[in-house]
Amino acid sequence: MKHKSLQTISLILVLISLIMEVGYNQAWYEFNNPQALFGISLALVLVSMSLNVKIIRTMGIQAHTRKTSQLALVITAIYAVAVFGFELI
C-alpha cells in the first residue's frame, strides 16, 4: 500500500507540473519571473522521478508494482524532455 501511495503522489506531482506549464502557455496566469515557473515545474518532475526510482530500487516488491513505476518513470522522462529539453533549445 505504501508503494501505491508513492505512485499516486508521483502522478499528482507530474499533473501539477503539466497544469502549471499549460496554464502559463495559455496565459491563464502570469509570472513576474518565468524562470521561477521553470524551476518549480522542473523540481516537481524531479521529485516525481525520484519517488519512482525509490520504488524500483526497493527489494522484494511485486513485479506489477515495479513495472508500473518503471512505466511511470519512462513517461515522466519523456515529459521532462518534451517540456524542459525543448524549452532550453
Side-chain angles (χ1 to χ4, degrees):
M1 187 63 182
K2 177 183 175 189
H3 301 298
K4 190 64 119 175
S5 64
L6 287 176
Q7 288 173 336
T8 304
I9 291 170
S10 173
L11 177 65
I12 290 170
L13 291 174
V14 171
L15 289 176
I16 290 171
S17 173
L18 180 67
I19 290 169
M20 288 177 67
E21 290 291 333
V22 169
Y24 182 72
N25 289 334
Q26 297 295 318
W28 295 343
Y29 53 84
E30 287 291 323
F31 269 88
N32 291 337
N33 186 1
Q35 288 80 18
L37 171 70
F38 181 83
I40 293 169
S41 186
L42 181 60
L44 291 172
V45 169
L46 291 176
V47 169
S48 170
M49 292 174 80
S50 69
L51 289 174
N52 283 314
V53 168
K54 180 182 185 313
I55 294 169
I56 292 168
R57 293 182 56 128
T58 302
M59 300 299 282
I61 63 170
Q62 297 177 354
H64 176 69
T65 303
R66 182 181 306 266
K67 291 204 182 282
T68 302
S69 286
Q70 287 173 338
L71 178 63
L73 185 61
V74 168
I75 291 171
T76 304
I78 291 170
Y79 168 74
V81 168
V83 172
F84 305 113
F86 294 136
E87 191 171 308
L88 293 175
I89 292 176

